[in-house]
Amino acid sequence: MGKQSAKRRLADNEAVATATMLRGSPQKLNLVAQSIRGMKVEKALASLSFNRRRTAIDVKKVLQSAIANAENNHNLDVDSLVVAEATVGKALTMKRFRARARGRVGKIVKPFSRLRIVVREVEETA
């Protein structure tokens, strides 16, 4: 007698990918995630490829993972996928210190973020 399987939180035409412990602040990561929300998947990948921000690499990896999940696990058509959600949250913050003048301490915070991307299959309307 085991635990009952949980009901799927997403719709049948959606797939998700998450990344935890991404090095960098959520505020900076959200700027990149915001730029791809609502885009078609092909256009979002192209946009991330030419984005100059360092976090764009991580966002692109998670988006590619979401696309692979949609194709392999949920049998969705890759050509009709849209980035439905791209949410960013805070993970832990490493706290370090650096010696400063006169015996004082300079505080260094090293934030981590988490990213969740949901892709949705949309019917083409002509």
Side-chain angles (χ1 to χ4, degrees):
M1 176 151 180
K3 208 164 130 177
Q4 287 187 350
S5 62
K7 189 179 172 195
R8 189 161 187 260
R9 292 183 184 187
L10 297 172
D12 290 336
N13 64 339
E14 291 179 337
V16 67
T18 59
T20 57
M21 303 300 287
L22 292 175
R23 185 69 178 80
S25 73
Q27 190 173 6
K28 292 176 184 176
L29 185 63
N30 193 38
L31 289 172
V32 178
Q34 184 179 2
S35 69
I36 65 164
R37 287 187 190 122
M39 277 189 179
K40 290 188 76 56
V41 167
E42 298 168 357
K43 191 173 178 185
L45 284 172
S47 171
L48 289 171
S49 295
F50 295 104
N51 196 321
R52 295 177 60 102
R53 291 184 173 267
R54 182 179 61 86
T55 55
I57 297 167
D58 296 326
V59 176
K60 185 177 177 186
K61 283 182 184 178
V62 177
L63 180 58
Q64 287 172 333
S65 177
I67 294 166
N69 289 343
E71 185 178 15
N72 298 321
N73 300 343
H74 305 296
N75 298 321
L76 301 179
D77 183 25
V78 177
D79 297 327
S80 61
L81 289 178
V82 172
V83 179
E85 297 174 27
T87 56
V88 177
K90 285 168 67 171
L92 67 85
T93 301
M94 287 195 307
K95 296 174 178 82
R96 300 290 183 261
F97 70 89
R98 181 177 180 197
R100 302 298 292 183
R102 299 170 69 183
R104 295 196 174 124
V105 166
K107 187 174 173 184
I108 298 172
V109 289
K110 298 184 175 187
F112 285 80
S113 309
R114 64 173 61 102
L115 175 64
R116 179 176 185 259
I117 294 181
V118 178
V119 292
R120 182 180 297 139
E121 186 179 35
V122 180
E123 298 85 28
E124 298 287 328
T125 56

